[in-house]
Amino acid sequence: MRGLWYSAVVVAFAGILCAPPCAADYREETLVPPIGWEKQVSPGFEPPVEYTVVYAGAGLEPSLTIKDCAPKWGPDAVRVLIELYRNPEWAGFQERILSGIVLFSTPEVKTFLEEEYAQELKKTDAKKPAQLMVFLSLMRKIDPDRAKQWVDEGLKDSTGPHFQTFVFDLRDRAFQTHNPDVQAQLTQVLNSLPEGELRKALLASIEAMMANQRTEQRTNEPMRVILEKEKGISR
Amino acid sequence: MKRFHAFGLVVLLALLALPSAEAQQELGKVSVVVQDEAGKPVPNATVQCVNWDNSFPRTEPLTPREQSTSDDGGRASFDGVTLGQAFVRVISGDLGGWFRVQERKPDFPLVIGVGHSTQVIVRDESGQPVEDVLASADGCIPFGKTDKDGVVTVRNHGIGYTPELYFWKAGYAWESVNLPFNPEKVFVTLKPGVVLEGLVLGPDGQPVPDVDISWNSQRSVRSDAKGAFRFPESAIGSKATLYAGAWNRQPPLNGEVTVTLTAPPMEKVTIAMNLAPTAPEQRRGATIRGRVLNADTDKPVRATILLEHSPAFEWPKKEAVTDETGQFTIEHVEGDRVWLCASAAQPTLYTVGGLVEVDLAKNTAADVTIRMSEGCALRGRVLTAEGTPVPSVQVMFRPMGPYYRAIWTSPEGRFEIPGLDGVGLSYSLSVSDPLQRETTLEVGPMAKGDIRSELELRMPKAVQPATLRGAVVDADGKPMANVNLYFHFQGPPAEPSVLSASSDDLGAFSVPIARSGRVNTSAHKVIQTTPSQHDSIDCPVAEGGVFELTEGINQEVRIVVHTATRRLIECGVVDESGQTVRAEVHILHGQHSDDYVSRDGEGIYRSTQIPKEAYVLEVTAPQYQARILFPGTDFQEDGTKTVVTLKKGPFAYGVSVWEAVTGRPATKEAVASTPLAELIRKRELQYFRAALAKPVVSSVPDGRSVVTPSLPAISKVRVVDAKGKAITRILVESLYVDQKKAALLPPESGAVQPITASDGLYPVPLGSSPGCIVSAPGFARVPLELLPSSPDGVQTLVLEESTTLELTVKRVDGKPAAGIPVSLPQAAWYGLDNTMSAMLMRTDAQGLARFTDIAPGPRIFSVGEFKTDMQAIMPVLKPGEARKVTVQLEERQRSHNPLVLLQIWREAERPQPKYPSQKDDVWEAEIRALPKDSQAALIKTVQESLPILTIPRPETRDPALLLGVASALGNRAVAKDLEGIFLQLPDDATGIPLLSNSRASQVATVITELQGDASVPFFEKCAQDDKRGPNSRLAALLAFGQLHSGKSAEAFARLRDAAYGKPGAPAKKETYTHAERMAESAIMTLCVIPGLSGVAGSGMPTNATVNEDYATGTLWMNNVEIQLCRVGAEWLVSEAHQGPVP
């Protein structure tokens, strides 16, 4: 089992990070910003942060996407985005705003994540485990140690959907980093899991990811290898 | 408008039937007595009298001879008037009337009254009022000229008679309008016109005087002593056939010429007359020969043949009687098309299909077969309540059958309704008395050959009707004229269910009380917006809304109605410089309630369909800031035209879209007090987006975004012929229905609007609706689908010479198949649904279905019933061609008819072949099992049908079917034909490859399946031909991957090696990983070789996989999934698909 970890290659995890804005786009038609918001945009940003939040990803000019605008805004935009995130009148745009916040790695974002993560953990229904994963991923970018701490604590203390989130996060990190410690931790978690749906799903996903990585490995092989092999066969 | 109405037809027929119309005209003295409603003579009334003639509008005022004043006894007389043809107008203060005096008795009583007034507003095509237009009643009694506002009023109509109004002014084409429903206002538009003058010359070249010259077999003028004639102004561009006949001469002469009216000055027309047959009955026209057969026995039928020039069959004429062999001949039939029906001596026989249409285009119609079949008949009499026969009363019957038939009782009160086709049905017979009280009788169900005789319909007991009189006033007590009143009886249904009356200029009305009962009153006013359209405006009834009526008792009622209830929205849309903007106007009145407001030819948006609930008007246009208008504040519902100014987009930062769109402050309070605020707020996003000067952003597989600069929206359509020559006059038919269907059918009457442009450039919109059909005389009718934009804002529409397709459908026994549906292509795949929306027409009794003025090119028509006898034909029509196609319906079992086989395969709903192959093993097996000659026939049919692959959007799976069958046929000749089709396929104009799902790629696949490696040179040539579009070059390159052979790999390597160094091509490397080679092949195949320049060759994110056998692999590049296969050191792209939109 352990050997397989060493042959692992990077598995794209961007999908999860991309999920909030993409999902939000489909609901765009039902999102209504507060009345008169255009007149209350935060000064100092071109284009205004609020405009990119309202119209981002709607097939407008490329310059209106949050990702394109963030470098122009600089870290000052974090405060504006956090305020919007926490403004109930902008509640419909939270996922889109978060996709903007995660573009920055500042202490302010770290504090924001700590606070939101703590709030998220308190939610017992946890209908949106992806949200927890987003916070985790972002924290890993800013402070990997703190993120590890969250996972360790989560694997120890949490249950239900929260626990699953931490297990799958560990799995993904094992494939991404090739880190033997992470892989060992995953093996340990796997072994400690009782027979059941979660264990079955985790095993199946690990197998699929391993098959993928074998396939992808072939693509990076020099072509001459197979050509020489085929020549050998023909001889 | 200038319709030849039924009365005119009767008059004309009467004139033509006589040796000389003139001989019948007896001039004499007409004397009338003017009386008031009480029968008292009215002295000093102005009395005007002319010879009634509604051929053309009068252009001169009345002469003194035509005017008089009534004496103390109310008498007035006029000499030299054609007896029986007098037309009289009386004016006495507010009283007056219009009277046709057709009786010859002296002192004809004329009872005058108030009647109705109607205001006529005359405008030119640009909407400007036209002053000094002479208005005349029935074209012969002038009653006024329009003032500077283009207004003239006709008074007292409805007293005696309601004339048709004619309008004439030099330089304009004359117009006429009818006055149904006593409209308050009528709008008339005058178009530029030109006088048509000419000369009639005899065989000796000398002028021929006193000859009647008819205009399109309708109205006529007479040549003067010098043989000259003159028709008053008609619309420029209109076409006229002038026919001159001089039958009272010895020898008789006739002549004909067809002219198109051009802008003045117009050259004089010469009609050269030649010797004509000796009798007017034999003067000209087509000859129809045919026979009447019993469809059940094929035996001849003795019958009378009725003929009409219209399918309405309102005025049929008995034209011929069949002989003992069932043969008949009708000579000298005029017009292009007539409808026939047979009335058999045996009353139970009916004409199958109702009417038989005969095309006289070739001046003769031989072998017309009218089939009759055994139906049923009804006979009986109509009696009074006391049992006395009632003559001359109309007997109505339902179901009516395929055309209207008027059945009247004989002097003995008897009636007969022969030739009914309702076997198995029950008939409802009814008669009404003058008070509209109805008696009905149910008969049936009817059996075949059934004749129900001695049916009796007893009229209601006669009563001396009492009268309901009253006045219509507004809330201030002011009389209201031209209010149409309807008194609806409450309670169980009985006839009459409603009484109707109309208030005169003094607001008075009267109506006989036909029966007792409680009535609800409704009131409406009518405003005629165009000759064929009128708006009915509700007038809420405040008093007199409900009351009791009692038979036999005279009653009076006062009806108070509210006046300000005319609900008509009219608006125009302009930009800030005052230029008209092509906008979309919608009435929003709920979350999902959104009514489109149509636009007329003058650019006015108009709607009377105004919801009762809260609503707003939404005005949007691409690249403009939208507007929301509120009734009562931003516009009125009284027809006052509102001009909406749209600001150019986009919305600037800091501007509230809500404020800009609604004109209301961006506050919670304002939102709370605004109707439909939630809906408007949700639409703010789309208003913002629509206002942007939006660039076109497209993705290509290597990750670039192709940003096309914002192009101007289409503002004009250039209409040209196939040689590129401008077409300066087009016909536009506005549509609200399926354009593809409409383009195959004749335009709806009155729906076509001619537009001229000397440079062939027509401003958009062309019509009043989003879709329209464009045509021109001699050219096909083509749907116009406007592109969003173009570099110069102009879109070119090519009109091609029109074609005609005549389908003859035959039954299994080879006889004409009547009533067979001919439908759009999709009917062959899915059948006809309940709405029958895909059906174009049914075959007539001769089994014919005719499509005229349709565009050339490949076409698909479904013929027959789905899953029964349907076949889809796929003719390729050539410009100007009149194609005849025969469809032989067949029993399906054991049929080897290729069209039947194709239809069976359509209906089998087989799963699609495994992609990308087009081959279907089942078809292949079935084809192999066919006899050789049937296989050959199938190959021929497929070859002939292949051009349908060039139809851009056929909306059916026929291309896939044909390709699948072509592949299964395994025939090299078909492959060669497919190569020809591949070269003709239209390419995508955007330069963005359509990848594997393109038609070119599908055709290429079948070519590879049929030809194998033999197709490599063809595809290599196509791929490197930089004159071809990227779409087909890409398809050619994908064919190499599908061939997956050494030859195809070598060809790709040659192309790839030649492409290194081209813009965007990746650099050649010494060694490659699989991923690198795959990425390079993908870029070369999808971008560089097909000719998409500017491709970044490295550093793009890819995600590749190679299967365990190293034979196939997948590559993802910028959301495009690319399938590759390996041949030695080459990775060839075999498929490429756009991934799901993230």
Side-chain angles (χ1 to χ4, degrees), chain B residues 644-936:
Chain B
V644 184
T645 304
L646 293 188
K647 284 187 185 170
K648 203 78 179 136
F651 291 94
Y653 292 141
V655 170
S656 160
V657 174
W658 165 271
E659 276 189 3
V661 166
T662 64
R664 298 183 172 210
T667 62
K668 285 180 181 171
E669 296 73 31
V671 171
S673 65
T674 300
L676 301 167
E678 191 189 344
L679 180 63
I680 299 165
R681 293 241 46 222
K682 280 186 179 170
R683 291 186 173 224
E684 283 177 21
L685 290 169
Q686 66 197 52
Y687 299 149
F688 182 87
R689 191 179 308 151
L692 289 168
K694 190 179 175 186
V696 179
V697 182
S698 320
S699 293
V700 290
D702 72 330
R704 282 176 312 137
S705 283
V706 178
V707 180
T708 312
S710 178
L711 297 176
I714 299 294
S715 61
K716 287 186 174 176
V717 175
R718 176 185 292 114
V719 185
V720 297
D721 64 15
K723 291 177 183 165
K725 192 181 159 200
I727 297 176
T728 56
R729 183 171 184 273
I730 59 170
L731 303 168
V732 175
E733 181 190 1
S734 299
L735 291 175
Y736 299 91
V737 294
D738 179 3
Q739 284 181 309
K740 288 195 174 177
K741 183 175 177 181
L744 294 170
L745 296 172
E748 282 186 23
S749 172
V752 174
Q753 178 195 359
I755 309 178
T756 54
S758 56
D759 53 1
L761 279 169
Y762 299 86
V764 295
L766 298 182
S768 59
S769 57
C772 66
I773 300 278
V774 178
S775 66
F779 290 95
R781 292 160 41 73
V782 182
L784 173 65
E785 293 171 23
L786 276 183
L787 301 170
S789 60
S790 77
D792 56 357
V794 176
Q795 180 177 339
T796 298
L797 179 70
V798 180
L799 295 188
E800 293 185 277
E801 211 180 327
S802 66
T803 63
T804 300
L805 173 66
E806 187 176 283
L807 297 180
T808 302
V809 185
K810 292 188 173 172
R811 297 192 319 214
V812 177
D813 59 6
K815 290 177 179 168
I820 301 296
V822 180
S823 314
L824 290 171
Q826 54 264 41
W829 288 92
Y830 317 111
L832 290 167
D833 61 13
N834 289 342
T835 64
M836 309 284 274
S837 58
M839 192 168 81
L840 296 163
M841 64 176 72
R842 285 185 185 275
T843 55
D844 64 12
Q846 316 301 315
L848 294 178
R850 200 161 186 273
F851 299 91
T852 55
D853 294 333
I854 58 175
R859 298 262 165 201
I860 311 173
F861 293 91
S862 311
V863 181
E865 301 282 355
F866 189 61
K867 295 199 170 176
T868 306
D869 57 7
M870 184 170 273
Q871 295 176 25
I873 57 158
M874 304 180 197
V876 182
L877 304 173
K878 292 175 190 149
E881 182 187 23
R883 175 76 72 87
K884 292 190 175 182
V885 174
T886 300
V887 179
Q888 175 67 57
L889 300 181
E890 289 189 26
E891 297 287 353
R892 286 200 172 179
Q893 282 184 337
R894 292 184 296 280
S895 172
H896 291 163
N897 178 341
L899 295 178
V900 174
L901 289 174
L902 287 172
Q903 185 59 30
I904 290 170
W905 289 331
R906 275 189 199 96
E907 293 171 9
E909 295 176 4
R910 290 195 41 69
Q912 297 273 335
K914 191 172 182 307
Y915 193 87
S917 173
Q918 305 289 325
K919 196 190 256 178
D920 184 301
D921 294 340
V922 174
W923 291 342
E924 195 170 8
E926 290 182 25
I927 290 166
R928 280 191 185 154
L930 289 173
K932 287 287 169 204
D933 57 341
S934 301
Q935 284 186 24

Side-chain angles (χ1 to χ4, degrees), chain A residues 16 19 26 34 43-44 103 125 145 148 154 160 164 180 184 187 200 204 214 219:
Chain A
I16 289 174
Y26 287 114
L103 296 168
D125 57 344
D145 292 341
K148 184 178 182 310
Q164 283 182 34
T187 308
K200 222 189 274 179
R214 278 196 300 271
T219 67

Side-chain angles (χ1 to χ4, degrees), chain B residues 50 61 104 174 185 244 303 316 350 408 410 458 511 550 552 615 647 653 808 814 823 853 879 941 1008 1020 1117 1130:
Chain B
V50 299
R104 297 177 180 218
W174 65 273
K185 279 184 188 171
Y350 69 93
W408 297 84
S410 68
R458 289 207 178 232
V511 57
T550 309
Y615 75 95
K647 284 187 185 170
Y653 292 141
T808 302
S823 314
D853 294 333
T941 299
T1008 62
E1020 189 174 356
M1117 292 171 78
E1130 297 296 338

Side-chain angles (χ1 to χ4, degrees), chain A residues 22 25-26 28-39 41 46-48 51 54-55 58-62 64 89 212 214-216 218-224 226-227 229-230, chain B residues 652-659 666-668 671 681-682 684-686 688-689 692 694-695 697 1072-1078 1103-1108 1110 1126 1128-1131 1141-1142:
Chain A
C22 296
D25 291 344
Y26 287 114
E28 186 216 18
E29 295 304 328
T30 61
L31 298 182
V32 180
I35 183 71
W37 64 274
E38 297 100 327
K39 297 172 149 191
V41 295
E46 179 63 31
Y51 271 81
V54 172
Y55 297 117
L60 308 176
E61 298 107 309
L64 263 182
E89 289 196 306
N212 269 340
R214 278 196 300 271
T215 306
E216 288 171 15
R218 281 193 291 276
T219 67
N220 292 324
E221 212 172 86
M223 283 193 78
R224 63 178 162 71
I226 186 68
L227 292 173
K229 194 175 166 189
E230 285 173 344
Chain B
Y653 292 141
V655 170
S656 160
V657 174
W658 165 271
E659 276 189 3
T667 62
K668 285 180 181 171
V671 171
R681 293 241 46 222
K682 280 186 179 170
E684 283 177 21
L685 290 169
Q686 66 197 52
F688 182 87
R689 191 179 308 151
L692 289 168
K694 190 179 175 186
V697 182
Y1072 288 87
T1073 66
H1074 291 280
E1076 287 166 345
R1077 196 54 144 175
M1078 289 162 83
N1103 186 4
T1105 61
V1106 173
N1107 288 358
E1108 281 182 54
Y1110 290 86
R1126 189 176 63 85
E1130 297 296 338
W1131 278 101
V1141 176

Side-chain angles (χ1 to χ4, degrees), chain A residues 16-202:
Chain A
I16 289 174
L17 284 176
C18 288
C22 296
D25 291 344
Y26 287 114
R27 294 198 295 274
E28 186 216 18
E29 295 304 328
T30 61
L31 298 182
V32 180
I35 183 71
W37 64 274
E38 297 100 327
K39 297 172 149 191
Q40 296 158 14
V41 295
S42 308
F45 301 98
E46 179 63 31
V49 174
E50 288 84 352
Y51 271 81
T52 58
V53 169
V54 172
Y55 297 117
L60 308 176
E61 298 107 309
S63 61
L64 263 182
T65 66
I66 298 178
K67 195 178 171 188
D68 291 335
C69 294
K72 285 191 267 179
W73 294 335
D76 288 351
V78 171
R79 177 187 47 80
V80 176
L81 287 164
I82 290 174
E83 277 173 20
L84 286 176
Y85 186 89
R86 289 175 171 164
N87 183 341
E89 289 196 306
W90 287 84
F93 296 87
Q94 267 191 346
E95 291 177 351
R96 198 177 291 174
I97 295 165
L98 193 60
S99 76
I101 294 173
V102 301
L103 296 168
F104 299 92
S105 307
T106 65
E108 205 178 354
V109 173
K110 189 181 171 189
T111 310
F112 164 78
L113 288 172
E114 289 280 6
E115 290 165 2
E116 293 301 322
Y117 177 78
Q119 287 295 319
E120 201 62 37
L121 273 183
K122 283 181 195 164
K123 291 179 187 169
T124 49
D125 57 344
K127 283 177 186 165
K128 292 190 289 183
Q131 196 78 346
L132 205 63
M133 215 146 180
V134 169
F135 293 140
L136 250 177
S137 312
L138 191 55
M139 183 55 90
R140 186 167 293 124
K141 223 169 97 184
I142 299 167
D143 186 348
D145 292 341
R146 179 65 183 136
K148 184 178 182 310
Q149 204 179 342
W150 279 2
V151 175
D152 292 346
E153 286 170 8
L155 288 169
K156 203 170 92 187
D157 304 332
S158 65
T159 56
H162 285 163
F163 177 72
Q164 283 182 34
T165 304
F166 293 118
V167 170
F168 284 105
D169 177 80
L170 189 65
R171 176 206 62 188
D172 292 341
R173 240 166 1 101
F175 274 86
Q176 284 166 22
T177 62
H178 308 185
N179 185 323
D181 295 339
V182 180
Q183 291 167 1
Q185 192 183 2
L186 179 62
T187 308
Q188 191 188 342
V189 169
L190 192 61
N191 291 337
S192 67
L193 280 178
E195 287 299 328
E197 289 301 312
L198 178 61
R199 185 182 160 83
K200 222 189 274 179
L202 186 62

